[in-house]
Amino acid sequence: MTALEPVTDVNLREFCEFLHSNLSQRITVKAWLHAFNTDWFPEKPNYGFLIRDQDRIVGGIGAIYSIQLIRGKPERFCNITSWCVLDAYRSQSMRLAMAIVSQNDFHFTDLTPTAVVAGSLGFLKFKPLDERRTVMPNVLWPAASLTGVRIVSDTDEIEHLLPSNAARVCRDHLGFPWLKHLAVGTDGRYCHVIFKRQKLKRLPCAAIFSLSDPDLFVKHHRVIGHYFLTRHGLVTTRVETRLLNKTPRMSVQVSGYQNKMFRSDTLSPSDITNLYSELMALDL
């Protein structure tokens, strides 16, 4: 007989060892623990749920909880991550998902679903997000230094340049070394940019994960591209189209990515970001 139980402080390490062995050995047990132990939500209800056959974990689903300020109102989020069930127990998979979404007063996201997981979440009334990406070439622009636009990479200074909520977002995501932070703008208005070094067509790329001011990012994208190229050797910039309000010049739209998923009775797709999720807390 299999038993369903919440992931708690008592069995969290055991659950992370299961994920390391059966989902991704590239991610260490320490990294899994760090991701689940964020302080983004006071008094977490759990870290997800697991299925046990006698004394052995045979499946589990992780949960990263957060409180996010959406349109000036604090909202409770549950980010689903690391859904892994051994082949012999696949029939038990939906028990895990049902346990997660049966929790009241949360908005739910899964930002790294496989096609199979996305299909399963569709039965639970999850909706897909726009999967397109906007790609821009990073080109040399000799006039960049004459624009008056500043690009600040020192995180202590970034916090002082940003409005209070954007500064809190910056602080909340500083503990992950694979995430890089910038503040871009002029005195009085700055955009906080979180990016990660990735590859696109085998060339180094700046993958944008978060923008606090999309309009400002588009306005200064040439300066940002010049910075990425000259300071980091990044040839292109890629950002999810849904995170932008308009398309920058000299950009192309690329599709064919797996849709991210969300479930909410009150929020719209434009309210769903990549923040406070497995995309930030794990080096995926």
Side-chain angles (χ1 to χ4, degrees), residues 96-131:
L96 294 165
M98 290 296 295
I100 287 282
V101 300
S102 294
Q103 300 177 113
N104 295 325
D105 301 322
F106 283 103
H107 310 289
F108 297 94
T109 62
D110 189 333
L111 304 183
T112 56
T114 64
V116 173
V117 168
S120 298
L121 293 176
F123 285 108
L124 297 175
K125 300 182 179 179
F126 278 68
K127 299 176 183 178
L129 295 169
D130 185 354
E131 48 80 27

Side-chain angles (χ1 to χ4, degrees), residues 7-258:
V7 181
T8 65
D9 290 329
V10 174
N11 56 19
L12 178 60
R13 173 170 285 276
E14 184 186 8
F15 177 55
C16 292
E17 291 171 348
F18 170 81
L19 294 177
H20 172 70
S21 298
N22 297 282
L23 184 60
S24 175
Q25 294 185 4
R26 186 180 64 83
I27 301 175
T28 66
V29 172
K30 182 179 179 180
W32 291 113
L33 287 167
H34 186 204
F36 288 118
N37 275 309
T38 62
D39 58 358
W40 297 338
F41 191 96
E43 299 181 4
K44 302 178 185 68
N46 50 65
Y47 302 103
F49 292 86
L50 60 82
I51 292 174
R52 195 183 294 275
D53 187 351
Q54 299 183 34
D55 292 331
R56 182 171 68 111
I57 296 177
V58 296
I61 189 169
I64 298 175
Y65 295 94
S66 64
I67 295 179
Q68 302 178 36
L69 199 63
I70 307 296
R71 298 196 294 267
K73 179 184 176 182
E75 301 282 359
R76 293 155 50 98
F77 280 81
C78 173
N79 169 236
I80 298 173
T81 181
S82 314
W83 190 358
C84 177
V85 181
L86 299 183
D87 288 342
Y89 298 87
R90 286 292 171 86
S91 63
Q92 305 288 314
S93 296
M94 290 304 290
R95 292 178 65 193
L96 294 165
M98 290 296 295
I100 287 282
V101 300
S102 294
Q103 300 177 113
N104 295 325
D105 301 322
F106 283 103
H107 310 289
F108 297 94
T109 62
D110 189 333
L111 304 183
T112 56
T114 64
V116 173
V117 168
S120 298
L121 293 176
F123 285 108
L124 297 175
K125 300 182 179 179
F126 278 68
K127 299 176 183 178
L129 295 169
D130 185 354
E131 48 80 27
R132 293 175 300 157
R133 305 294 194 267
T134 297
V135 179
M136 297 160 279
N138 298 332
V139 299
L140 289 173
W141 190 32
S145 61
L146 304 178
T147 62
V149 177
R150 295 183 64 208
I151 296 183
V152 180
S153 59
D154 179 82
T155 52
D156 290 333
E157 186 176 356
I158 289 174
E159 283 193 51
H160 294 294
L161 295 173
L162 298 174
S164 58
N165 185 54
R168 180 178 71 88
V169 167
C170 181
R171 287 193 301 273
D172 287 345
H173 293 82
L174 288 181
F176 309 103
W178 45 86
L179 299 179
K180 308 301 179 185
H181 299 258
L182 297 176
V184 181
T186 56
D187 290 343
R189 184 181 175 190
Y190 284 85
C191 172
H192 177 219
V193 181
I194 302 179
F195 73 99
K196 180 179 176 181
R197 185 184 185 94
Q198 293 185 343
K199 285 191 175 182
L200 180 63
K201 301 293 183 180
R202 300 184 180 180
L203 295 174
C205 168
I208 306 296
F209 282 76
S210 175
L211 300 169
S212 67
D213 191 328
D215 291 335
L216 203 61
F217 174 83
V218 171
K219 180 179 180 181
H220 299 316
H221 77 275
R222 291 182 68 187
V223 178
I224 299 168
H226 176 84
Y227 171 86
F228 281 148
L229 181 64
T230 58
R231 296 293 183 90
H232 296 277
L234 302 172
V235 178
T236 55
T237 296
R238 179 175 58 192
V239 58
E240 290 174 64
T241 302
R242 67 185 184 89
L243 301 181
L244 300 172
N245 296 327
K246 57 183 177 181
T247 303
R249 294 179 181 178
M250 294 179 62
S251 65
V252 296
Q253 299 292 307
V254 182
S255 61
Y257 294 88
Q258 177 60 52

